[in-house]
Amino acid sequence: EVMLTSERYRVQRLPFSHLSDRDVAFFEGIMPGRVITNPEELKPFNVDWLKSVRGCSKLMLKPQTTAEVSQVLRYCHERNLAVNPQGGNTGLVGGSVPVFDEIILSTVLMNQIISFDKVSGILVCQAGCVLEKLNEYLEEQGFIMPLDLGAKGSCHIGGNVATNAGGLRLLRYGSLRGTVLGLEVVLADGSALDCLASLRKDNTGYDLKQLFIGSEGTLGVVTAVSILCPQKPKAVNLAFLGCQSFAKVLETFTTCRAMLGEILSAYEFMDEKCMELVEKHLKLSSPVAGSPFYVLIETSGSSSTHDEEKLNNFLEQAMTSGLVTDGTVATDDKKIKASHRFLFLRERITEALTHDGYVYKYDISLPVGKLYDLVTDTRARLGQNAKNVVGYGHLGDGNLHLNITADSYSRSLLDAIEPFVYEWTARYNGSISAEHGLGFKKKQFIQYSKPSEAVFLMQRFKAMLDPKGILNPYKMLPFGS
């Protein structure tokens, strides 16, 4: 375990008030039995999922309603107490745990579905609903959530919105900036902003919800979400393919998009190092072996015969033209088992990496043609100093997950990686965070993706909506914000 807080970031605690017994008594009065002060009980909520950052909060609150969140924030605002909103705590950039002793405001009990309209496909629910639970509920009604993530079993929809989470379905259904129709948010001073529209079209004034989508808990606490859900596809097919080079992976994508059109719902790639680690640490075998690159293609549509025909035509074309050297398809007869196995392999790469040692994780957006060059260049730069350098991700939307493993954390290795990776990304007009946000770990690097004028404007929004800076301090915006 590494305390990033102390070593790399030399961050000073801002002059917030310190928690008193009187404060705890006030919160107990609002939500008796839902105020946690036991240090042992607080431990898992003070550490992030990667065990890379740790805070020392002495208090966690578990509100059930927007009214309770309002009361909490109004009080904290008056008392100048800092607050760390927390959902499922699955973030990868240290955004969901305290840096010092901020009060943890957990949405874990805000897990009610408010309404679902089967005609429009619009779901309204509280922020603490777990993504997988929402998907299960919707599947019974013939719908699905427009996003799917490896962390779906524990991440909350409010946290997904706050970080503008991407994931496997983005290629087909777009980002949360498009599928979220409305939000209810509690501002720093406790006032509740109800923009929980259930309309596809609403052109009245500024689109305020966009300010909170991707704001990582720094501008307000999302308490409820209205989201547009697609119908559950009647036919889902998966293909797992082997390609001999990254150029072939790109060409396969172009062919795939042209031939599969609207039924293409995911196009994921991974290098052979990823597969080796999954096989080694998780004992999962790859359905296709011996290729430098692997591609996972998913199609979702309304007619299985139509979709299978399209997929088979594409595969035939890809095989005969030499784009793909090996492949296997999951269609109806063996579909369920094989599909789960393919997706399972892809979703569990993160887990396999954590078994390989200490992991340095980078989530980058780049023009697709340049996507893998960063992996190759990083591998060459680090040489024997790194155990493994691997690349995988959502090729369809230009999102690379670059991961570097070593036996243990090393400051010199980190210095060799950063800011090299960020400078490389900026050179090709990429983004240093495609979908995980900036959180605590990346906030000092925002200038690699945004001009100073943009950062200044962000700081002004923050100062206006949270004048005392009590919401998720030390995160997202660079120091001096």
Side-chain angles (χ1 to χ4, degrees), residues 236-240 308 311 328-340 342:
V236 175
N237 296 303
L238 282 112
F240 199 92
E308 277 173 38
L311 187 58
T328 179
V329 181
T331 52
D332 278 329
D333 45 345
K334 51 182 179 176
K335 184 183 292 180
I336 307 299
K337 271 189 181 162
S339 300
H340 283 319
F342 294 175

Side-chain angles (χ1 to χ4, degrees), residues 385-401:
N385 296 321
K387 196 168 166 186
N388 280 300
V389 177
V390 310
Y392 66 99
H394 319 296
L395 187 118
D397 43 62
N399 181 184
L400 169 74
H401 296 308

